[in-house]
């Protein structure tokens, strides 16, 4: 498997699940995160639903390592923006003209939990599912192979960008660019790092499009796959139950909101 | 400037050991080519030389600088590393600006930077494209621009990663001239390459790597006469050397001239 995916191969029950079952789990997790009210339920959802699933897939550490660098910038900005700029509210900490509002902090706590589950759900899917197997499962259910490719490319873009960014950073440091240090120095280093990343990515797009066409991507013929997907007899039932439970949750939440 | 690597060990992961006890001394002005199969540890080794990777055991000294005590940007004053893919670094609007990026980072003043840029572009044969956008040039020329960006930094050690990829005959010849010119000026040149003919033609010392170790180190004539070592490293000797061996010529001819001389010597014998 290419290093440009997050997929972590393991011999686990989670990995053996049909890709559509894992996709259903993810989408239900996302929907639940959005509709769950209150400040703490999403943290419980992460701890009691996503982490046990990750443990079943033997990928707790990779999941936490992948979640953290994406989650903390959101958390930081949420707490700063909501805490400092919440209209009105009760100040809990005052620093000169700025004060943290209790309501803003509570809202940020709730939103951070929601984002934690959103990120965690998608990363769990990415870590436990081969992207090509997922696309194969979706195209077998009638999804256009072009759309499948777009989804696959989107899944792969983060690790691909990470690998490219590491190489670019190394190349620019080798030309004397200091990327560590104070905020100003780091800000100055952004353009030499982002410039080649964007330019080379645009060039990659052109090369990739040519390479795909050269391999018959645009042909309208019946496609077969080398990947054989297996499905446990009970998986369809689990998917139906998950969808039903999520639908009930959304309905209940809507009814409660309308009251 | 002397480069000294003492018993270097490095692993990316417990089951991905890249270097296993590398000891290597490179004198100022030497021309060293590092060859070996993919995965032999060549790239890891050159990344140790400019501090991009730090040894997990052992010591890398560039002059009196221990790479563990300096950032990569600081090491760039002494070691210039030309990456394989030029598109990993080019971002300025003109070639001249791109080449000036390194010297400016190193704190060269404007006049010094201008001189360094002009000299570097002349060295790579691209003085006429100084005002062109780097991405308007073909990839072979972008690769030479990337080399010029390092040459302009005037580092005592220049390392090139696969410099001949994408170059035509003229480009390879130009690269050979650059290697010779740098060496004449006392600058150390190190290259990792799969282009064995380029290594044999332009480097006085060949280091062969396999499975994270140096398995041969010497002149091209000595290294390319050791068939077993080359087989172990999955390296094929230059074609002309293999032809010489097949004809039973004395020595290891690496150039047309030495081949003819060896052929004449053999004819004279018979």
């Amino acid at each position: 498997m290419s290093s440009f995916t997050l997929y972590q191969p393991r011999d686990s029950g989670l990995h053996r699940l049909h890709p559509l079952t894992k996709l259903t789990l993810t989408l239900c997790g996302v929907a639940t995160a959005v509709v769950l009210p209150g400040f703490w339920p999403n943290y419980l959802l992460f701890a009691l639903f996503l982490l046990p699933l990750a443990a079943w897939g033997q990928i707790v550490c990779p999941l936490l390592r992948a979640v953290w660098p994406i989650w903390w910038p959101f958390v930081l900005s949420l707490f700063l923006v909501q805490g400092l700029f919440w209209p009105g509210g009760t100040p809990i900490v005052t620093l000169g003209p700025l004060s943290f509002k209790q309501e803003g902090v509570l809202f940020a706590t709730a939103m951070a939990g929601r984002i934690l589950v959103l990120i965690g759900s998608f990363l769990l899917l990415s870590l436990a599912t081969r992207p090509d197997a997922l696309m194969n499962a979706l195209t077998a259910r009638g999804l256009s192979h072009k759309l499948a490719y777009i989804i696959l490319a989107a899944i792969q873009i983060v690790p691909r960008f990470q690998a490219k960014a590491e190489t670019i950073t190394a190349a620019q440091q080798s030309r004397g660019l200091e990327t560590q240090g104070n905020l100003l120095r780091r800000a100055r280093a952004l353009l030499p790092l982002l410039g080649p990343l964007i330019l080379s990515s645009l060039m990659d797009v052109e090369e990739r499009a040519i390479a795909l066409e050269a391999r018959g991507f645009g042909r309208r013929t019946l496609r077969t796959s080398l990947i054989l997907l297996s499905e446990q007899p009970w998986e369809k039932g689990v998917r139906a139950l998950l969808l039903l439970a999520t639908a009930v949750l959304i309905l209940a939440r809507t009814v409660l909101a309308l009251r | 400037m002397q480069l000294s690597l003492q018993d270097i060990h490095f692993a990316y992961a417990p089951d991905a050991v890249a270097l296993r006890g590398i000891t290597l001394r490179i004198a100022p002005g030497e021309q060293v080519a590092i060859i070996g199969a993919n995965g032999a540890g060549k790239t890891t080794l050159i990344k140790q030389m400019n501090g991009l990777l730090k040894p997990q055991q052992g010591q890398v000294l560039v002059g009196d600088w221990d790479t563990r005590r300096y950032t990569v940007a600081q090491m760039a004053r002494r070691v210039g590393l030309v990456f394989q893919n030029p598109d990993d670094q080019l971002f300025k609007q003109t070639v001249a600006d791109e080449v000036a990026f390194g010297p400016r980072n190193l704190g060269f003043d404007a006049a010094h930077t201008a001189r360094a840029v002009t000299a570097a572009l002349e060295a790579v044969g691209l003085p006429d494209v100084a005002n062109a956008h780097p991405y308007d040039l073909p990839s072979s020329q972008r690769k030479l621009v990337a080399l010029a960006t390092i040459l302009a930094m005037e580092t005592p050690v220049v390392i090139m990663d696969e410099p001949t990829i994408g170059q035509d005959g003229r480009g390879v010849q130009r690269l050979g001239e650059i290697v010779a010119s740098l060496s004449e000026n006392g600058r150390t040149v190190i290259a990792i390459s799969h282009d064995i003919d380029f290594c044999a033609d332009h480097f006085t010392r060949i280091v062969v790597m396999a499975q994270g170790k140096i398995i041969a180190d010497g002149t091209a004539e000595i290294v390319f006469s050791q068939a077993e070592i080359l087989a172990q490293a999955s390296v094929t000797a230059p074609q002309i050397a293999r032809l010489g061996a097949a004809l039973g010529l004395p020595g290891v001819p690496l150039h047309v001239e030495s081949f003819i001389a060896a052929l004449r010597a053999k004819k004279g014998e018979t």
Side-chain angles (χ1 to χ4, degrees):
Chain A
M1 196 86 247
S2 158
S3 61
F4 290 130
T5 73
L6 293 172
Y7 177 65
Q8 300 278 314
R10 299 278 191 282
D11 184 18
S12 82
L14 182 67
H15 284 70
R16 281 192 292 275
L17 285 181
H18 191 273
L20 281 185
T21 308
K22 285 181 271 189
L23 182 65
T24 310
L25 272 169
T26 302
L27 295 177
C28 291
V30 168
T32 308
V34 173
V35 297
L36 272 183
F39 304 116
W40 307 112
N42 274 309
Y43 295 98
L44 290 177
L45 187 63
F46 185 80
L48 302 178
F49 179 68
L50 291 181
L51 281 184
L53 278 176
W56 187 35
Q58 303 161 24
I59 47 172
V60 174
C61 288
L63 178 69
L64 294 176
R65 273 201 302 269
V67 165
W68 176 247
I70 304 174
W71 187 54
W72 79 259
F74 281 109
V75 174
L76 185 69
S77 54
L78 268 172
F79 275 85
L80 285 176
V81 172
Q82 299 298 336
L84 291 173
F85 301 107
W86 189 267
T90 318
I92 45 175
V93 180
T94 302
L95 300 162
L98 300 172
S99 60
F100 268 93
K101 315 290 188 335
Q102 188 183 4
E103 293 79 357
V105 169
L106 288 173
F107 179 78
T109 306
M111 287 303 293
R114 198 163 280 167
I115 290 169
L116 178 65
V117 174
L118 292 177
I119 294 171
S121 300
F122 276 111
L123 286 175
L124 187 68
L125 173 73
S126 304
L127 290 164
T129 314
R130 278 180 59 161
D132 46 359
L134 177 62
M135 290 310 107
N136 195 24
L138 289 172
T139 48
R141 295 294 196 282
L143 184 77
S144 138
H145 73 277
K146 287 185 180 172
L147 192 56
Y149 179 77
I150 291 169
I151 297 170
L152 187 65
I155 290 172
Q156 291 177 333
I157 201 166
V158 173
R160 188 177 289 274
F161 261 50
Q162 275 176 342
K164 193 87 184 163
E166 278 172 24
T167 310
I168 290 167
T169 305
Q172 303 301 41
Q173 285 175 331
S174 300
R175 295 206 290 165
L177 180 73
E178 198 61 83
T179 55
Q180 303 296 315
N182 61 39
L183 201 61
L184 186 66
R185 187 176 274 177
R186 283 166 189 252
R188 274 192 196 139
L190 267 181
L191 181 64
L193 299 179
L194 284 178
L197 187 64
I198 293 164
L199 288 169
S200 62
S201 298
L202 290 174
M203 291 169 76
D204 277 355
V205 169
E206 190 185 358
E207 279 181 23
R208 193 181 277 235
I210 293 168
L212 283 170
E213 279 312 314
R215 291 190 287 162
F217 185 71
R219 280 186 64 83
R220 292 162 189 253
T221 49
L222 181 67
R223 283 153 203 272
T224 56
S225 175
L226 286 171
I227 303 167
L228 294 174
L229 298 172
S230 61
E231 187 175 20
Q232 305 290 333
W234 45 266
E235 286 194 56
K236 273 185 189 157
V238 167
R239 288 202 295 268
L241 270 177
L242 279 167
L243 290 172
L244 185 67
T246 309
V248 169
L249 187 70
I250 293 170
L251 192 66
R253 180 78 181 119
T254 312
V255 170
L256 281 173
L258 289 174
R259 277 188 182 177
Chain B
M1 184 166 291
Q2 175 153 305
L3 212 71
S4 169
L5 293 89
Q6 187 63 44
D7 193 27
I8 302 300
H9 290 259
F10 186 84
Y12 291 99
D15 59 347
V17 180
L19 300 178
R20 303 166 196 265
I22 298 281
T23 295
L24 186 65
R25 274 195 180 71
I26 299 174
E30 264 198 288
Q31 300 142 286
V32 182
I34 302 170
I35 60 174
N38 291 335
K42 306 183 298 292
T43 302
T44 307
L45 182 63
I46 60 167
K47 285 183 175 175
Q48 296 279 342
M49 293 175 182
N50 82 332
L52 272 170
L53 296 174
K54 313 288 184 192
Q56 289 157 347
Q57 189 185 316
Q59 188 183 44
V60 180
L61 288 175
V62 181
D64 56 352
W65 285 12
D66 185 329
T67 56
R68 283 171 302 190
R69 298 202 183 121
Y70 294 86
T71 64
V72 180
Q74 288 168 330
M75 289 302 303
R77 294 183 182 282
R78 294 194 168 186
V79 182
L81 172 58
V82 188
F83 277 63
Q84 193 173 331
N85 183 0
D87 300 337
D88 288 339
Q89 62 175 64
L90 305 180
F91 72 104
K92 292 282 190 182
Q93 296 298 308
T94 68
V95 167
D97 250 3
E98 190 67 59
V99 178
F101 179 72
R104 285 180 187 141
N105 283 334
L106 300 187
F108 289 16
D109 62 36
H112 189 178
T113 300
R115 279 200 307 276
V117 169
T118 306
L121 285 176
E122 276 173 7
V124 298
L126 296 175
D128 300 337
V129 298
N131 295 316
H133 194 289
Y135 283 93
D136 286 339
L137 304 178
S139 66
S140 59
Q141 289 192 351
R142 287 206 300 279
K143 203 160 165 97
L144 291 174
V145 171
L147 171 59
T149 68
I150 298 301
L151 295 181
M153 290 160 64
E154 300 176 350
T155 52
V157 180
V158 175
I159 304 175
M160 306 177 198
D161 186 355
E162 294 290 356
T164 58
I165 285 183
Q167 297 296 333
D168 58 15
R170 217 167 116 197
V172 173
Q173 193 186 342
R174 168 79 65 180
L175 284 167
E177 289 163 9
I178 292 168
V179 171
S181 159
L182 288 169
S183 190
E184 277 167 20
N185 292 323
R187 292 164 78 179
T188 307
V189 189
I190 300 163
I192 56 176
S193 181
H194 287 107
D195 185 341
I196 297 300
D197 288 318
F198 174 71
C199 296
D201 282 349
H202 301 289
F203 290 82
T204 53
R205 184 175 167 192
I206 309 287
V207 172
V208 187
M209 288 188 74
Q211 293 169 342
K213 290 181 181 171
I214 292 174
I215 58 169
D217 182 355
T219 62
E221 286 79 6
I222 290 172
V223 167
F224 291 128
S225 67
Q226 302 177 63
E228 278 180 25
I229 293 282
L230 295 181
Q232 197 183 330
S234 303
V235 168
T236 310
Q239 204 169 23
I240 201 161
R242 282 183 286 139
L243 181 61
L247 292 171
L249 300 185
V252 182
L254 293 172
H255 312 98
V256 174
E257 296 77 16
S258 56
F259 181 88
I260 291 169
L263 196 61
R264 281 188 179 140
K266 186 173 169 67
K267 273 179 125 182
E269 282 171 17
T270 55

